[in-house]
Amino acid sequence: MRPLLAIVLAACGFDPHGVTSDASIARDAPVAVDSRSIDVVDADPCADDGCPATCADVTGLANDSSVTLYLGGSASQPWTAFCHDDDEYITVTADANYGQYTASTKSPGSNVQTTYSRLRVDPSTLRVDISDQTFATSVGLLYHDPATNGSDAVTSMPLGVAMDCAGNNSTTGVANVDLTGTQFVVGSASTWSTGGNSPGHSVTSSDGGRIVAITGGGNCGWNAPSGSPGNPFNTFEPASLLELVYSPE
């Protein structure tokens, strides 16, 4: 080996006899790896304890938390639930989910509208309780045909119920269900029925059932999810009347 080259290599820690000195190796500190941060392709999200189907199945879940649940415990059907007191809710846009009784001369006062920011759903049946107002806001106050019913005050409305007392075949009552941004649509098993005197009505479904617009009324009359009682205002039980279908966007 040429003397000059040997000097340079020696300065770099190279042993010409084939032995590399420790000083020649740059040793980085060991890097700690958190295995939870590593994405594993096609990993089974339910491998350890099975897929949680209800809020109660999630160990250590804080109240009022969003969590991924799985219909029937199936890994192929995840959905986003909001858990409140171990009950499951679907988060929706409040302004697009409401029921309304529109005031008139015969039912004086101001329009009563209840908007829903979360819908109570039974994860085993996918039925929505249209009278669960845990996450609802109501405005307005009117009296339901006081000439006939006395001081029957209306202060809130179930989801999807449209009502008025404006006259024969009237449809000034309005309601709406909008599941945009969720993994569900309103299923074909969910229907609306009219009631009261000379009811008017319409039901318009769009976006594959993700949005349903409702009108209703009469003298006095309403258009409400089938199974609702007579005079379906304020709240009533049982009210799990809308059946959803899993249909991710």
Side-chain angles (χ1 to χ4, degrees), residues 126-220:
L126 289 186
R127 285 188 169 272
V128 170
D129 184 341
I130 66 173
S131 272
D132 188 312
Q133 297 181 1
T134 304
F135 297 100
T137 301
S138 298
V139 296
L141 168 67
L142 62 77
Y143 293 93
H144 173 60
D145 188 12
T148 302
N149 298 288
S151 57
D152 203 353
V154 178
T155 58
S156 68
M157 291 295 292
L159 174 72
V161 176
M163 188 168 183
D164 78 16
C165 202
N168 294 350
N169 305 312
S170 177
T171 57
T172 67
V174 291
N176 204 74
V177 179
D178 189 338
L179 300 175
T180 300
T182 77
Q183 293 88 355
F184 302 99
V185 297
V186 177
S188 59
S190 296
T191 58
W192 271 255
S193 300
T194 58
N197 297 318
S198 302
H201 65 96
S202 70
V203 177
T204 303
S205 178
S206 60
D207 195 13
R210 207 169 297 277
I211 302 172
V212 182
I214 306 104
T215 68
N219 190 30
C220 301

Side-chain angles (χ1 to χ4, degrees), residues 97-111:
N97 290 271
Y98 57 87
Q100 179 173 309
Y101 190 148
T102 302
S104 63
T105 301
K106 196 170 182 179
S107 287
S110 57
N111 296 348

Side-chain angles (χ1 to χ4, degrees), residues 51-160:
C51 296
T54 69
C55 291
D57 294 336
V58 183
T59 303
L61 181 67
N63 195 32
D64 292 339
S65 297
S66 292
V67 66
T68 298
L69 298 180
Y70 300 84
L71 293 182
S74 170
S76 65
Q77 294 186 304
W79 65 285
T80 303
F82 184 85
C83 297
H84 173 75
D85 293 342
D86 278 345
D87 287 336
E88 296 79 13
Y89 290 82
I90 299 172
T91 300
V92 293
T93 301
D95 290 347
N97 290 271
Y98 57 87
Q100 179 173 309
Y101 190 148
T102 302
S104 63
T105 301
K106 196 170 182 179
S107 287
S110 57
N111 296 348
V112 176
Q113 184 180 92
T114 301
T115 56
Y116 295 77
S117 60
R118 293 188 172 96
L119 312 181
R120 171 73 175 103
V121 61
D122 182 335
S124 64
T125 64
L126 289 186
R127 285 188 169 272
V128 170
D129 184 341
I130 66 173
S131 272
D132 188 312
Q133 297 181 1
T134 304
F135 297 100
T137 301
S138 298
V139 296
L141 168 67
L142 62 77
Y143 293 93
H144 173 60
D145 188 12
T148 302
N149 298 288
S151 57
D152 203 353
V154 178
T155 58
S156 68
M157 291 295 292
L159 174 72

